Amino acid sequence: MTDLAEPMATPGSFHTSEAAEKRLRRRYAAERRFKAYGIVAIAVACLMLVVLLYTILHNGVGAFTQTAIRLEVTLDAKTIDPKGTGNPADWDRAAFQDLVQDALYREFPDVSGRVPKRALRGLISPVAGVFLYREVLEDPAMVGQTREFWLPASDDINQIRKGRIDRTLPESSRPVSDEQLAWLDRLVEQGKATSVFNSTFFTASDSNYPELAGIRGAVVGSLYLLIVTVLLALPIGVATAVYMEEFAPKNSFTDLIEVNINNLAAVPSIVFGLLGLAVFLGFFGLPRSAPLVGGMVIALMSLPTIIIAARAALKAVPPSIREAALGMGASRLQTVMHHVLPLAMPGILTGTIIALAQALGETAPLLMVGMNAFVTEPPSGLLSSSSVLPVQVYIWADAPERGFVELTSAAIMVLLAFLIMMNGAAIYLRKKFERRW
């Protein structure tokens, strides 16, 4: 910004009267105030961004580690395989949790009685048997042996180990008793409790237990949704833009269509969700919670933005390109398809990626078509039940367990990484294929 000079009383100036000089000073003062307001607004926006990122990072970084307890588990063949078939399909999966509890009792032989044992079981996750089952399933030859396994601690123990729960609080004010704290400290001193990388966050889908919950199902669902959106929105949006810009007659009807396209870009996203609910689910009877329906809704929402961006890219192609092609005997369709559209394609792709990045963060229209279903497995196809990343964040943010607080922030970090990658791709395409006329 160019600095503004103070008014000067120079010989021959038009502002010779005292009143004129006062008006000039007021105008310069107003300019300086406007500049100060702009700087303050930018500073406040940057401060809010820093606070947002710090909050997300501070809460979410803990989700990438998980407190694990090392236990020596005896994999009794009769307990795991009561039918004796040797087939993993016949294993009693519930028995693995019993084996984990037996190993915990052996680790603390001085603990006896129903109530103390129940408190002792609070050290380990109630789904630790699932992790044990998965490890044994990878190597069934371990059945009948005694092995050491790192198994996840319970959510409360995990939170107090990470400092999310203040252990100095009175016992009645925290979910972990003094006795459990003493057991945990004993395991830490013996090297049997430590923090490990939480690979489950990336390899598992949703769960009621935070130590068993992950984002894999939501990531796969988001990819399916984006594929459907691109396949529908890009060709329809580009075809519409080409017709409106190159072939449509200029009359009041096309002006009306253009105004409505511009208005649709500003319609709240939940309206598109209601449209998808009424048309795709109510009229056509398509399945709820499916990436196909979610992609169709997001495609409808992205279409106005893609059309507007594509028309701007077509307008940016100089008329001389069209005139040269027509002068060489090409038809209007050949001129557009062989010359204008390829030159406008970088701008179209940039606008499309930005529209998709914006649509990926939308939650309201997807909630309307049932994408908030509790799905514990990644979708196997476009018609399978699925969730998506922004909806997964919404579901976890509403969960009461403390562990979901850090999972929510971690999922937001993954979603932000997706958006940054897509915007980075748009910038790269613009820089690589940009042409100056």
Side-chain angles (χ1 to χ4, degrees):
M1 182 178 293
T2 305
D3 292 334
L4 300 175
E6 292 289 345
M8 298 178 62
T10 56
S13 172
F14 292 106
H15 308 289
T16 54
S17 67
E18 185 178 351
E21 289 181 358
K22 286 183 178 179
R23 287 197 298 271
L24 190 57
R25 288 194 182 92
R26 284 199 296 270
R27 288 202 297 271
Y28 277 101
E31 294 280 353
R32 286 194 294 272
R33 286 197 300 272
F34 183 78
K35 182 180 177 180
Y37 295 155
I39 293 173
V40 170
I42 293 173
V44 170
C46 292
L47 178 63
M48 293 297 105
L49 180 61
V50 169
V51 171
L52 173 67
L53 293 178
Y54 172 78
T55 305
I56 292 173
L57 290 174
H58 180 261
N59 291 333
V61 71
F64 299 106
T65 58
Q66 164 72 31
T67 301
I69 296 175
R70 189 178 66 192
L71 292 176
E72 192 174 76
V73 182
T74 299
L75 301 170
D76 183 39
K78 292 182 179 178
T79 305
I80 295 176
D81 188 12
K83 296 180 180 178
T85 60
N87 186 359
D90 294 330
W91 287 356
D92 183 4
R93 297 181 61 173
F96 285 88
Q97 188 65 27
D98 297 335
L99 295 178
V100 172
Q101 293 176 6
D102 292 341
L104 195 61
Y105 296 153
R106 286 196 298 274
E107 186 66 35
F108 294 91
D110 53 326
V111 177
S112 60
R114 188 170 60 87
V115 175
K117 282 189 174 182
R118 185 172 60 188
L120 182 61
R121 291 197 299 271
L123 293 180
I124 204 78
S125 168
V127 290
V130 176
F131 290 87
L132 179 63
Y133 167 76
R134 290 174 180 172
E135 291 202 30
V136 178
L137 193 61
E138 293 179 358
D139 185 10
M142 288 192 293
V143 176
Q145 302 179 11
T146 299
R147 293 286 191 92
E148 288 187 342
F149 296 92
W150 285 98
L151 299 170
S154 66
D155 183 40
D156 291 335
I157 294 296
N158 184 40
Q159 297 303 314
I160 208 162
R161 179 93 166 78
K162 293 177 178 175
R164 303 289 184 187
I165 299 176
D166 187 2
R167 61 183 297 162
T168 62
L169 291 172
E171 184 178 12
S172 58
S173 302
R174 49 179 157 80
V176 180
S177 66
D178 291 339
E179 198 175 26
Q180 289 174 319
L181 282 179
W183 292 332
L184 174 63
D185 293 339
R186 175 178 160 186
L187 289 173
V188 172
E189 290 175 2
Q190 295 175 350
K192 295 181 178 179
T194 186
S195 296
V196 297
F197 178 66
N198 185 16
S199 59
T200 305
F201 178 71
F202 298 98
T203 59
S205 296
D206 199 7
S207 172
N208 287 325
Y209 300 93
E211 57 268 30
L212 196 60
I215 60 169
R216 183 185 172 195
V219 169
V220 175
S222 298
L223 291 177
Y224 278 137
L225 181 140
L226 281 181
I227 290 173
V228 173
T229 303
V230 170
L231 292 179
L232 290 177
L234 183 59
I236 295 176
V238 172
T240 304
V242 168
Y243 177 77
M244 293 291 295
E245 192 63 33
E246 302 290 339
F247 297 100
K250 305 299 179 185
N251 53 36
S252 57
F253 181 68
T254 54
D255 291 342
L256 179 65
I257 293 176
E258 185 173 346
V259 169
N260 279 282
I261 290 173
N262 294 333
N263 288 335
L264 281 174
V267 169
S269 58
I270 196 168
V271 176
F272 290 98
L274 290 170
L275 176 65
L277 177 65
V279 176
F280 301 136
L281 300 185
F283 185 76
F284 290 106
L286 293 175
R288 294 175 64 88
S289 310
L292 176 64
V293 179
M296 293 165 77
V297 172
I298 296 298
L300 283 177
M301 199 182 70
S302 305
L303 263 177
T305 306
I306 295 176
I307 293 172
I308 294 171
R311 292 191 66 182
L314 292 170
K315 280 181 182 176
V317 178
S320 58
I321 300 294
R322 299 175 178 81
E323 294 167 1
L326 293 172
M328 294 298 291
S331 65
R332 291 192 64 184
L333 182 61
Q334 289 174 323
T335 300
V336 172
M337 299 304 293
H338 297 172
H339 302 279
V340 178
L341 190 57
L343 292 173
M345 193 51 73
I348 295 174
L349 288 178
T350 301
T352 302
I353 292 174
I354 292 175
L356 293 178
Q358 180 185 2
L360 181 62
E362 288 292 343
T363 306
L366 300 177
L367 292 176
M368 298 305 299
V369 295
M371 296 295 286
N372 58 339
F374 180 72
V375 184
T376 58
E377 294 291 335
S380 57
L382 297 179
L383 297 178
S384 303
S385 295
S386 172
S387 183
V388 289
L389 271 175
V391 178
Q392 190 68 73
V393 171
Y394 171 79
I395 294 173
W396 283 350
D398 202 35
E401 289 80 4
R402 293 173 182 270
F404 284 112
V405 175
E406 58 185 21
L407 288 179
T408 301
S409 296
I412 292 174
M413 291 165 64
V414 174
L415 181 59
L416 288 177
F418 262 99
L419 299 179
I420 291 172
M421 288 171 59
M422 295 183 71
N423 282 283
I427 294 172
Y428 172 76
L429 290 174
R430 189 180 63 208
K431 294 291 184 184
K432 184 174 179 61
F433 298 105
E434 185 179 32
R435 291 194 178 190
R436 297 183 182 276
W437 308 100

